[in-house]
Amino acid sequence: MLFKVEKMRGEQESHTLASHLQLTFTGFYHENEKPSQNSENEQNSVALEVLLVKVCHKKRKDVSCPVKQVPTAKKQVPLNPDSSPTKPGALPSLAVSSNEFEPSNSHMVKSYSLLFRVTWPGKRDVNGLMNGETNENIDVIEEFPTRKKRSSSYHEDGEKTFVAQMTVFDKNRRLQLLDGEYEVSMQEMEECPVSKKRATWETILDGKRLPPFETFSQGPTLQFTLRWAGETNDKSTAPVAKPLATRNSDTATLESKPSSLKPTQAIAVKDSLTTDLQVRREQILCEPRQKLRIFYQFLYNNNTRQQTEARDDLHCPWCTLNCRKLYSLLKHLKLCHSRFIFNYVPHPKGARIDVSINECYDGSYVGNPQDIHSQPGFAFSRNGPVKRTPVTHILVCRPKRTKPSLSEFLESEDGEMEQQRTYISGHNRLYFHSDACLPLRPQEMEVDSEDEKDPEWLREKTITQIEEFTDVNEGEKEVMKLWNLHVMKYGFIADNQMNQACMQFVEKCGQQINEKNLCRNFLLHLVSMHDFNLVSIVTIDKAMARLREMQQRLEKDELAEKTSPAPTDEPNWENGSGIETPTSERISETDISASGVPKQNKRQKL
Amino acid sequence: MDTQGPQTKKAQKNSVAWRRRVKSEYMRLRQLKRFRKAEKVKFQFLANRNKIQEKTEMLNEEWKKLRIQPIPATPCIGQLSTKKCVVEYGFPEFKSQTVMMRTLNTVAGVPFMHSWSPLQQNFMVEDETFLHNIPYMGDEVFEQDEAFLEELIDNYDGVHGDRGCEQPPSNRIPHDKIFKAIASMFPDKGTTEELKEKYKELTESPSPVKLPPQCTPSMDGPGAQSVQREQSLHSFHTLFCRRCFKYDCFLHRKSPEPGRSCRSRLCSPLLSFHATPNVYKRKIKEIRIETEPCGLDCFMLLKGAKEFADQNMVKSQRPRRRQRRHKQPSSSASTPGEGKEGDSDRETTSSSEGNSRCQTPIKLKQSSEQPDSVEAVQWNGAEESLFRVLQGTYYNNFCSIARLIGTKTCRQVYDFAVKEALILRVPVEDGGISPQKKKRKHRLWAAHCRKIQLKKDNSSNQVYNYQPCDHPEHPCDSSCPCVMTQNFCEKFCQCNPECQNRFPGCRCKTQCNTKQCPCYLAVRECDPDLCQTCGAADHWDSKNVSCKNCSIQRGLKKHLLLAPSDVAGWGTFIKDPVQKNEFISEYCGEVISQDEADRRGRIYDKYLSSFLFNLNNDFVVDATRKGNKIRFANHSVNPNCYAKVVMVNGDHRIGIFAKRAIQKGEELFFDYRYSQADALKYVGIERELELM
């Protein structure tokens, strides 16, 4: 769009030499004066004076920018003409030569604008007065006091002056007025000097002055058609400029408005207007200007303070996307600008949107969180897809589809929190190991490396604590340490687990018990557990039998390396089962019996 | 080489040339050595580099298969001359300096964190009466801080390091010079000699009180002695924690004397928090008496032996019971003297035997002589002790005892028992009790449910720590500590299992997560030894337990992650989504007394960060030094989690539960101020917020 405009500007500028600006005035509408209009015969035209205002560049000495006013023409413009279109030729028109827009010799002109001054005669005939009024090249600043004085004097006579100003070329020498039909809102010139109000259609939202739309519906307006004539350009390619646009609109608004908005617009139109006038006016406006005003009410500081901004179109104020419908606008705001909460409130003049900060907004980085912390360049060093933490972006969410209705944007009472939750769920951040604060890599996500029941320091602690005792012997200490580590590892919690725990202990640590020669101390441990009512006698028997078995196997393995001695059968020894062997000499002695008799035999005999 | 120098100097006293030569030679060698050392270091460095490189490559190769981002290979600076940085001077006299350049990449910062130790279960620590260090309050010292510190130090007995070195490093008496100097400086304090005497008197270590020989030599060792049962089992009995199933556990070892820091039994041999088992009554009296002889040489085949054993078992039933009851209190505090008096004569013989150390020939002799004469068998200290230990458990089941002793036959054991003349009478179960028991239990249970309700109703918010009660003579009435603190008696109490104050457990067949479950109602987790139907006692290995009211004890916590918080500092995040009211994690830390918490809290408040969490009226959990990842959960007035202090098998523990359904990756918050039990002491972040 912008590109198009730029192109046009270029075109226009190239053609300025050969062209002139043609203005054809349709009429001056002033609704407040309706009563007076009833006596239509006596008053049906107003005097219009068009001046070309050149704002020059400030020179060193100047306090403010010097302004030159070049009067171009004075015309009689019909007042509140009928809807029936008159012939274009019959309407007053004027032409401004494009030479006027050439840079003048003395001053560098910053911007050009057209100043329309309509003199409203009131009850009297104004013709005579009109003639007497000639302003030649008056510097506005100098003129200012006199004008003020005069305006008051006019007022006594019942005469009013309305002014409006439109920029033709802005200070960047960009053409602002394109071909099209315009309706200019006029401002009564009493208190406000022209110079201070160069852009009269800019709204000041203090409610005192009328906002633009009200001016359009009731205030005095001047309608005219603007053409840059003398060109061979094809009309179709030349952009039809939008008519008087509020500051926010761009060329996109020229597209035809969806019909759904019509009813809403009608609300904005004053009832007093005749329907045909309204229709005609809409046609003249060439596009159905949104009568819809959208008030953005910013709530902040815990909803204690607010600030209101209004817009007259359905453009998103944040990204200028034209949403074209109020519903779409609200949907867009809600989905794309989740940093804020938007609540729709119906408003007699359009819509109010309450904007507040979304406390639940998650502005976290959406890329691979690992990349943030890794070394520069690391993010691109990978070849091929790599694992990353799982994140779910909800791209399409299909809840039960309700009919699009504005009511869905109304502030809800209860489910509010649910709504504002982010649409990205999952591990969208970089995690750290709790021990060393090192970044957790994606492949380390699955296992919780820091939740072991027996962290190393605790294992060491229990060992040192037991080691600290001065009146516990080494054998006891060893069994206690082994047992503690065992309990810490498996986290036993119930009395009825103890039988199982003891058997498990034999399986896991039996080897060590045998190697460290702790069998009797282990037996003491078991008996102690029995004294505490935690294990049964059966468990003691079973555990010790298993330990003996393991010991015998160990000895057998050791012995297998040496020569295998001849088996001797000694039933007495079998009853006693395994034999404690504190000295190495005895190993061979006991093993003769142990290795000679298979386990099964022993059990049968027992 | 150094010694060589003077030697050569001596030999060639006059030759200056020789000296010079030696010196140069020495210098050369030294330089050579230095050079070699440098070379070696360089070589080692390069070797290490290569090793790292290899390892990295290996790892990356492996990870390539797993599709994992590779480790960036660090640029090898092996040649030590990649880039150099030169500093040049304007003055021509100064040489420009060159330094190897090594670029360090920026690493994104992480929030501040004090170091802490991971823990998955509470850890009780004693009060610190000495301030370990003066808290660091930043570089600038403000007046208010100084006032605060002074006040703080007043709370403690002293500051660590104030007393200088606490233990004199050696007994060496300082030089006389020092005493002389002191005497001249302070003439009123006495003469040099007097000072010296005084010093000796003061520094002399207090003669260690002769401890009763509580410590017996190891049973498996060569020096094993023949001692009484209580002595043999003393260490096991006193150190075992019946509640944690561990020896010298971390949680239940509150010292009876306040301020006693030494845990070693050197200080107080009999002071132990853990109840000794002798006071526990046997629930199941399972004594296996084998009626069949175990083999051809079983003692039962001896004339009269079986009858002897059986008779003793049946006849002396009544007196035995009475005897036991008398014995219980005394045996629990078994003094070493008592153990000694019975076997003083035996001990001497056994110890001499133990010292002889040549058991092999005896053994051999035994095996050959066994069938004929049993009298010849010698018992060593370990065997005798073991026999006494086992007899306390197995009574007259000599076959089993013999099997466990391992080195003696049952006949030998029998003979020894006869000799000991201490054949224990086996107490026989009184069988009439069990049918009655059930009926009574039913009634009890109904009464209990009412009682729980009652307790709930008039509960002031006072929650006291549970301590197993121990009053052997009378039942649990209003004088019982458990009743007084409005706690139930637990299985750890010394009272009768049918005690009126015991919690009966639940009989739920559902998940125990509603107030229908008496355990849940009483803010207790299901006890796996009491609640048999809900599943709290099943499926030890799997995480799918039907009972949802046993998560804390089983440690069924959720996988938590640590990341910088969206709110302040670090935060805790959850890996997997959870349902409402699901258990998330236990808030673990050091269990400290309320007094200690007050002292510590003062410092924490100053730091504006506190991990204190009221457990009950007696204790506070402090996760500052030890804790788990949930300690990083931040405070919120609109939290997604809540805290609840639950009684778990006799311990109060803090569970963090989901207040609503939580999605994966969400940060966890809970309200620091309120817990369901209203036991939370709010400190720290909340105040921080107020300040902000």
Side-chain angles (χ1 to χ4, degrees), chain B residues 619-631:
Chain B
F619 293 105
V620 177
V621 169
D622 181 9
T624 310
R625 303 174 192 179
K626 304 181 182 76
N628 51 1
K629 269 186 251 182
I630 197 75
R631 75 198 277 278

Side-chain angles (χ1 to χ4, degrees), chain A residues 347-380:
Chain A
H347 192 268
K349 281 171 192 144
R352 197 183 92 203
I353 299 173
D354 287 344
V355 187
S356 52
I357 302 276
N358 183 3
E359 303 287 353
C360 307
Y361 177 69
D362 177 19
S364 50
Y365 175 67
V366 281
N368 188 350
Q370 271 79 33
D371 290 345
I372 312 172
H373 203 82
S374 45
Q375 299 293 317
F378 186 33
F380 308 102

Side-chain angles (χ1 to χ4, degrees), chain B residues 186-241:
Chain B
F186 306 100
D188 53 319
K189 298 287 180 208
T191 62
T192 314
E193 280 309 307
E194 276 170 12
L195 281 172
K196 206 168 175 180
E197 280 306 306
K198 206 175 258 178
Y199 177 85
K200 270 182 200 163
E201 194 184 300
L202 286 171
T203 51
E204 202 173 337
S205 57
S207 56
V209 185
K210 236 350 189 184
L211 286 166
Q214 202 55 235
C215 182
T216 52
S218 172
M219 274 280 202
D220 287 301
Q225 288 170 5
S226 170
V227 289
Q228 280 302 315
R229 185 174 199 266
E230 278 74 26
Q231 265 176 287
S232 304
L233 288 169
H234 186 270
S235 301
F236 288 103
H237 280 172
T238 48
L239 288 181
F240 188 74
C241 174

Side-chain angles (χ1 to χ4, degrees), chain A residues 441 473 495 525 541 572, chain B residues 63 216 242 247 288 297 394:
Chain A
R441 288 172 306 167
N473 66 48
D495 292 3
H525 161 74
D541 289 342
N572 279 349
Chain B
W63 285 3
T216 52
R242 195 242 169 280
Y247 290 99
R288 273 199 327 174
D297 292 296
Y394 283 83

